[in-house]
Amino acid sequence: MATESTGPKFDTPLRIGVVLFPGFQALDVFGPMDCFNVLSWQHPNMTLSILAPTLDPVSTKSPVTPHAIGEQVVPTHTFASPPPLDVLLVPGGLGTRGSAPPLLAAIDFVRSTYPSLKYLITVCTGAGIAARAGVLDGRKATTNKHAFKEIAALGPNVHWVPRARWVTDGNIWTASGVTAGIDVTIAWIGEVFGEAFAQRLADEMEHTRHTDSSVDPFAELYGLS
Amino acid sequence: MATESTGPKFDTPLRIGVVLFPGFQALDVFGPMDCFNVLSWQHPNMTLSILAPTLDPVSTKSPVTPHAIGEQVVPTHTFASPPPLDVLLVPGGLGTRGSAPPLLAAIDFVRSTYPSLKYLITVCTGAGIAARAGVLDGRKATTNKHAFKEIAALGPNVHWVPRARWVTDGNIWTASGVTAGIDVTIAWIGEVFGEAFAQRLADEMEHTRHTDSSVDPFAELYGLS
């Protein structure tokens, strides 16, 4: 990609964080992270922190699918010792359900960290984590469409938007299910680094974008009004 | 997803393998793997082996982008001690260039393992690894469109297809760049488990598929005939 002005919002380093917990959805993390990885080829002042309860690798396997296959990702920091962050990515997945201690630790981390963030991005049922952390109260947000009602019930004070590829409210960007995480991240890069830059990045990833956040074929498919 | 007959091709366990090397493209691995992970929720007889030169975590960072951010994934097996595999996934990425020892080990592994596979799937410049392994000789194949000429030069005896989201030739499925890996994997699942099952899986991932392998907007964008 051609180099381009990075705009005034991140003259300082851009410090990305990702929250992991057992049973995270792989693509909820690596759709956005691939965008950020490619961004970092051009924007050298980036750091990535992968946060979890301990530094042990975290698996995409959740307790509810013990027979499933899964991949393990290595954290860089614990929730107890986080570095300063500008952007926090919160994925969804089967592991967002229930009250397993690592999940509760992730919810607590989102609650305590949100006030110091420039942006919070959630993907899929990751919005349920943000809702349980209380940071979506009074905000518009969306989530996975197949699990919409289940996740919406976790945040009775959230203005849930059933028909949206993603929703922005203030500095919180919430995406719909799984691959919507790619679209929300490219849209965020467009906001911060310019749309032309974001489109070139999408082209290099050969990604056919959803560019209109209000167009959502999956809301209709799953019977959401 | 509703359970459904898995078809006759995999009454036996479905043994997936993934080749890793430093500088692999995160989404080349985790687009397909997310599809396989979701498949494994319904199809219990699956195993996953993540193969690398050693059991040390492998980073998406490549030597050519030392300032980039990256994620580390934990292998399960070394190239020297692989389990039997049915399907091998070969990702691309900046790390497919050059002659670093871990890359050469990956190429050797693809060469020695291919004869025992039921299917080989490559994503993006992963086709360059397969080409250097010699397993694409005499076959039709495609690769990343921005890097098409560079990768095609690695396989002078390959029938490179410039305009394709993915190409199948015998038991080899080669995808175009990055997010094409999601489409090729869902198409493969459709072939093996039935199209209705594959479409439901895509819907749950809220993925707007490319379903026609010959439609390729990125070939045009990058000036390939």
Side-chain angles (χ1 to χ4, degrees), chain A residues 120-138:
Chain A
L120 176 69
I121 300 174
T122 73
V123 180
C124 197
T125 52
I129 290 178
R132 291 169 75 180
V135 303
L136 296 184
D137 283 351

PDB file of all heavy atoms in Angstrom, chain A residues 120-138:
ATOM      1  N   LEU A 120     -13.547   1.492  21.956  1.00  0.00           N
ATOM      2  CA  LEU A 120     -13.868   0.098  22.265  1.00  0.00           C
ATOM      3  C   LEU A 120     -14.546  -0.497  21.037  1.00  0.00           C
ATOM      4  O   LEU A 120     -15.484   0.103  20.490  1.00  0.00           O
ATOM      5  CB  LEU A 120     -14.812   0.024  23.466  1.00  0.00           C
ATOM      6  CG  LEU A 120     -15.303  -1.381  23.852  1.00  0.00           C
ATOM      7  CD1 LEU A 120     -14.155  -2.223  24.421  1.00  0.00           C
ATOM      8  CD2 LEU A 120     -16.449  -1.288  24.874  1.00  0.00           C
ATOM      9  N   ILE A 121     -14.054  -1.651  20.593  1.00  0.00           N
ATOM     10  CA  ILE A 121     -14.656  -2.357  19.455  1.00  0.00           C
ATOM     11  C   ILE A 121     -15.072  -3.741  19.932  1.00  0.00           C
ATOM     12  O   ILE A 121     -14.243  -4.485  20.473  1.00  0.00           O
ATOM     13  CB  ILE A 121     -13.654  -2.490  18.278  1.00  0.00           C
ATOM     14  CG1 ILE A 121     -13.208  -1.112  17.787  1.00  0.00           C
ATOM     15  CG2 ILE A 121     -14.270  -3.302  17.142  1.00  0.00           C
ATOM     16  CD1 ILE A 121     -12.102  -1.155  16.722  1.00  0.00           C
ATOM     17  N   THR A 122     -16.353  -4.088  19.744  1.00  0.00           N
ATOM     18  CA  THR A 122     -16.785  -5.455  20.059  1.00  0.00           C
ATOM     19  C   THR A 122     -17.226  -6.139  18.767  1.00  0.00           C
ATOM     20  O   THR A 122     -17.676  -5.496  17.818  1.00  0.00           O
ATOM     21  CB  THR A 122     -17.945  -5.500  21.064  1.00  0.00           C
ATOM     22  OG1 THR A 122     -19.163  -5.076  20.436  1.00  0.00           O
ATOM     23  CG2 THR A 122     -17.664  -4.628  22.284  1.00  0.00           C
ATOM     24  N   VAL A 123     -17.064  -7.454  18.747  1.00  0.00           N
ATOM     25  CA  VAL A 123     -17.484  -8.257  17.595  1.00  0.00           C
ATOM     26  C   VAL A 123     -18.422  -9.342  18.104  1.00  0.00           C
ATOM     27  O   VAL A 123     -18.142  -9.970  19.131  1.00  0.00           O
ATOM     28  CB  VAL A 123     -16.268  -8.893  16.897  1.00  0.00           C
ATOM     29  CG1 VAL A 123     -16.717  -9.736  15.696  1.00  0.00           C
ATOM     30  CG2 VAL A 123     -15.277  -7.823  16.457  1.00  0.00           C
ATOM     31  N   CYS A 124     -19.525  -9.536  17.394  1.00  0.00           N
ATOM     32  CA  CYS A 124     -20.396 -10.685  17.648  1.00  0.00           C
ATOM     33  C   CYS A 124     -20.897 -10.625  19.107  1.00  0.00           C
ATOM     34  O   CYS A 124     -21.266  -9.553  19.586  1.00  0.00           O
ATOM     35  CB  CYS A 124     -19.590 -11.960  17.333  1.00  0.00           C
ATOM     36  SG  CYS A 124     -20.525 -13.475  17.108  1.00  0.00           S
ATOM     37  N   THR A 125     -20.896 -11.744  19.796  1.00  0.00           N
ATOM     38  CA  THR A 125     -21.401 -11.769  21.165  1.00  0.00           C
ATOM     39  C   THR A 125     -20.444 -11.116  22.155  1.00  0.00           C
ATOM     40  O   THR A 125     -20.737 -11.090  23.356  1.00  0.00           O
ATOM     41  CB  THR A 125     -21.694 -13.219  21.582  1.00  0.00           C
ATOM     42  OG1 THR A 125     -20.542 -14.025  21.330  1.00  0.00           O
ATOM     43  CG2 THR A 125     -22.868 -13.788  20.793  1.00  0.00           C
ATOM     44  N   GLY A 126     -19.337 -10.575  21.670  1.00  0.00           N
ATOM     45  CA  GLY A 126     -18.491  -9.741  22.522  1.00  0.00           C
ATOM     46  C   GLY A 126     -19.259  -8.556  23.076  1.00  0.00           C
ATOM     47  O   GLY A 126     -18.907  -8.021  24.142  1.00  0.00           O
ATOM     48  N   ALA A 127     -20.320  -8.147  22.368  1.00  0.00           N
ATOM     49  CA  ALA A 127     -21.174  -7.075  22.904  1.00  0.00           C
ATOM     50  C   ALA A 127     -21.826  -7.501  24.216  1.00  0.00           C
ATOM     51  O   ALA A 127     -22.136  -6.646  25.066  1.00  0.00           O
ATOM     52  CB  ALA A 127     -22.250  -6.690  21.882  1.00  0.00           C
ATOM     53  N   GLY A 128     -22.013  -8.795  24.400  1.00  0.00           N
ATOM     54  CA  GLY A 128     -22.561  -9.286  25.673  1.00  0.00           C
ATOM     55  C   GLY A 128     -21.590  -9.062  26.822  1.00  0.00           C
ATOM     56  O   GLY A 128     -22.011  -8.759  27.957  1.00  0.00           O
ATOM     57  N   ILE A 129     -20.308  -9.192  26.547  1.00  0.00           N
ATOM     58  CA  ILE A 129     -19.292  -8.902  27.566  1.00  0.00           C
ATOM     59  C   ILE A 129     -19.324  -7.423  27.928  1.00  0.00           C
ATOM     60  O   ILE A 129     -19.323  -7.051  29.101  1.00  0.00           O
ATOM     61  CB  ILE A 129     -17.894  -9.321  27.049  1.00  0.00           C
ATOM     62  CG1 ILE A 129     -17.809 -10.846  26.973  1.00  0.00           C
ATOM     63  CG2 ILE A 129     -16.792  -8.725  27.908  1.00  0.00           C
ATOM     64  CD1 ILE A 129     -16.492 -11.372  26.424  1.00  0.00           C
ATOM     65  N   ALA A 130     -19.382  -6.580  26.886  1.00  0.00           N
ATOM     66  CA  ALA A 130     -19.422  -5.135  27.137  1.00  0.00           C
ATOM     67  C   ALA A 130     -20.709  -4.757  27.875  1.00  0.00           C
ATOM     68  O   ALA A 130     -20.700  -3.885  28.763  1.00  0.00           O
ATOM     69  CB  ALA A 130     -19.310  -4.374  25.818  1.00  0.00           C
ATOM     70  N   ALA A 131     -21.819  -5.418  27.527  1.00  0.00           N
ATOM     71  CA  ALA A 131     -23.091  -5.140  28.210  1.00  0.00           C
ATOM     72  C   ALA A 131     -22.997  -5.529  29.680  1.00  0.00           C
ATOM     73  O   ALA A 131     -23.419  -4.770  30.562  1.00  0.00           O
ATOM     74  CB  ALA A 131     -24.233  -5.888  27.522  1.00  0.00           C
ATOM     75  N   ARG A 132     -22.455  -6.706  29.939  1.00  0.00           N
ATOM     76  CA  ARG A 132     -22.327  -7.154  31.332  1.00  0.00           C
ATOM     77  C   ARG A 132     -21.353  -6.279  32.112  1.00  0.00           C
ATOM     78  O   ARG A 132     -21.448  -6.165  33.339  1.00  0.00           O
ATOM     79  CB  ARG A 132     -21.908  -8.620  31.374  1.00  0.00           C
ATOM     80  CG  ARG A 132     -23.010  -9.548  30.889  1.00  0.00           C
ATOM     81  CD  ARG A 132     -22.526 -10.966  30.668  1.00  0.00           C
ATOM     82  NE  ARG A 132     -22.327 -11.696  31.906  1.00  0.00           N
ATOM     83  CZ  ARG A 132     -21.901 -12.970  31.959  1.00  0.00           C
ATOM     84  NH1 ARG A 132     -21.627 -13.635  30.834  1.00  0.00           N
ATOM     85  NH2 ARG A 132     -21.736 -13.580  33.120  1.00  0.00           N
ATOM     86  N   ALA A 133     -20.409  -5.673  31.408  1.00  0.00           N
ATOM     87  CA  ALA A 133     -19.484  -4.732  32.058  1.00  0.00           C
ATOM     88  C   ALA A 133     -20.151  -3.382  32.336  1.00  0.00           C
ATOM     89  O   ALA A 133     -19.576  -2.542  33.029  1.00  0.00           O
ATOM     90  CB  ALA A 133     -18.243  -4.529  31.191  1.00  0.00           C
ATOM     91  N   GLY A 134     -21.334  -3.175  31.732  1.00  0.00           N
ATOM     92  CA  GLY A 134     -22.068  -1.937  31.979  1.00  0.00           C
ATOM     93  C   GLY A 134     -21.687  -0.789  31.078  1.00  0.00           C
ATOM     94  O   GLY A 134     -22.303   0.285  31.150  1.00  0.00           O
ATOM     95  N   VAL A 135     -20.715  -1.001  30.195  1.00  0.00           N
ATOM     96  CA  VAL A 135     -20.216   0.130  29.421  1.00  0.00           C
ATOM     97  C   VAL A 135     -21.127   0.481  28.245  1.00  0.00           C
ATOM     98  O   VAL A 135     -20.939   1.524  27.613  1.00  0.00           O
ATOM     99  CB  VAL A 135     -18.767  -0.088  28.928  1.00  0.00           C
ATOM    100  CG1 VAL A 135     -17.843  -0.369  30.110  1.00  0.00           C
ATOM    101  CG2 VAL A 135     -18.688  -1.207  27.899  1.00  0.00           C
ATOM    102  N   LEU A 136     -22.101  -0.382  27.944  1.00  0.00           N
ATOM    103  CA  LEU A 136     -23.043  -0.071  26.856  1.00  0.00           C
ATOM    104  C   LEU A 136     -24.323   0.591  27.371  1.00  0.00           C
ATOM    105  O   LEU A 136     -25.178   0.967  26.552  1.00  0.00           O
ATOM    106  CB  LEU A 136     -23.405  -1.352  26.080  1.00  0.00           C
ATOM    107  CG  LEU A 136     -22.280  -2.072  25.335  1.00  0.00           C
ATOM    108  CD1 LEU A 136     -22.836  -3.261  24.553  1.00  0.00           C
ATOM    109  CD2 LEU A 136     -21.554  -1.120  24.387  1.00  0.00           C
ATOM    110  N   ASP A 137     -24.453   0.744  28.662  1.00  0.00           N
ATOM    111  CA  ASP A 137     -25.698   1.320  29.198  1.00  0.00           C
ATOM    112  C   ASP A 137     -25.969   2.696  28.594  1.00  0.00           C
ATOM    113  O   ASP A 137     -25.104   3.570  28.582  1.00  0.00           O
ATOM    114  CB  ASP A 137     -25.627   1.438  30.727  1.00  0.00           C
ATOM    115  CG  ASP A 137     -25.850   0.084  31.410  1.00  0.00           C
ATOM    116  OD1 ASP A 137     -26.227  -0.887  30.721  1.00  0.00           O
ATOM    117  OD2 ASP A 137     -25.640   0.019  32.643  1.00  0.00           O
ATOM    118  N   GLY A 138     -27.187   2.841  28.068  1.00  0.00           N
ATOM    119  CA  GLY A 138     -27.578   4.114  27.463  1.00  0.00           C
ATOM    120  C   GLY A 138     -27.065   4.319  26.055  1.00  0.00           C
ATOM    121  O   GLY A 138     -27.306   5.368  25.454  1.00  0.00           O
TER     122      GLY A 138
END
